Amino acid sequence: MTDLEIQDLRRARLAALAQEVGGNAALGRLLGYSSGAFVGQMLSGHKNITESTVRLIERLPRREGWFDTTTTARRREEIDLDSHPDLVSVRRVNLKLQAGMNGFAVEPEEGEADPIFFRSNWLAARGYKPYNLIAISVRGPSMEPTLYEGDLVVVNTADREPKDGSVCAINYEGESVIKRLQREGGSWYLASDNPDQRRFPRKEWIDGEAIIIGVVIHRQSELL
């Protein structure tokens, strides 16, 4: 793997850790910094994540091996990405959530599934940073016919601003759901695209019950 690829992987892991512990400032305090500015510089790519920083983070409780890239390196070999340097991987994960918590943890999707790949210029043209992107599987039929169970969606965790009509991954009382945001009469609602509204009624967004994880920016489906 090249140094650039290693830095991309480290930034992805660092971003996940920052989200889990409550943000850049919280992670900075854990590492002994006065603020989250240094963490932000590493995430933005303005500073490299050095071996000494990796070792410092992996000395935190339950963080041993946090930056292990063995699985990703093996996937790169299988897919032969060295022949396609313009491709960027987005990892497929399961979300670990708690009700009322803004942060979240991720774990590799069962079976060490292959990541999704994008051309780097496609991401750059839209302002997406690879380390802010995660891919998760759709569960249940609530978003049919837009999304079907088993579809993969890529979520931009850097975009958490509610927008009318956007499809978002939501932490709903500790459960990961995908819903469409709707604005009506001064209130926000979580809506399903499934036309069976008796089975999947929309729910008013009440502070603390629903927290945006990120906006869905891409769908991958085997259904026509």
Side-chain angles (χ1 to χ4, degrees), residues 6-113:
I6 290 172
Q7 287 299 312
D8 284 342
L9 291 170
R10 287 180 176 179
R11 277 194 292 272
R13 297 301 288 154
L14 189 67
L17 179 58
Q19 290 166 346
E20 180 178 345
V21 301
N24 292 357
L27 180 55
R29 288 192 295 270
L30 285 175
L31 298 177
Y33 304 129
S34 59
S35 71
F38 187 68
V39 174
Q41 290 172 344
M42 289 189 289
L43 289 177
S44 67
H46 287 94
K47 289 187 178 296
N48 282 340
I49 304 173
T50 64
E51 288 295 329
S52 60
T53 300
V54 168
R55 300 288 82 79
L56 176 63
I57 292 172
E58 291 189 336
R59 285 197 293 269
L60 295 173
R62 304 187 309 280
R63 304 302 171 188
E64 183 178 356
W66 183 258
F67 288 93
D68 181 16
T69 60
T70 303
T71 297
T72 303
R74 184 169 65 251
R75 291 296 179 187
R76 288 187 57 85
E77 293 172 0
E78 293 172 356
I79 301 170
D80 191 24
L81 282 187
D82 290 335
S83 300
H84 304 280
D86 60 327
L87 294 183
V88 177
S89 64
V90 174
R91 59 205 169 122
R92 291 168 58 171
V93 302
N94 292 318
L95 295 175
K96 299 172 65 177
L97 306 172
Q98 293 185 27
M101 295 292 291
N102 280 303
F104 60 89
V106 298
E107 59 185 11
E109 191 174 84
E110 186 176 353
E112 296 185 348

Side-chain angles (χ1 to χ4, degrees), residues 109-154:
E109 191 174 84
E110 186 176 353
E112 296 185 348
D114 287 334
I116 294 178
F117 298 95
F118 291 90
R119 293 193 179 279
S120 56
N121 59 354
W122 188 91
L123 295 176
R126 291 158 178 79
Y128 299 141
K129 305 295 185 182
Y131 50 83
N132 289 325
L133 305 180
I134 55 175
I136 59 176
S137 296
V138 175
R139 298 178 181 176
S142 68
M143 289 298 290
E144 294 181 5
T146 305
L147 301 171
Y148 290 87
E149 184 166 17
D151 285 357
L152 288 173
V153 293
V154 175

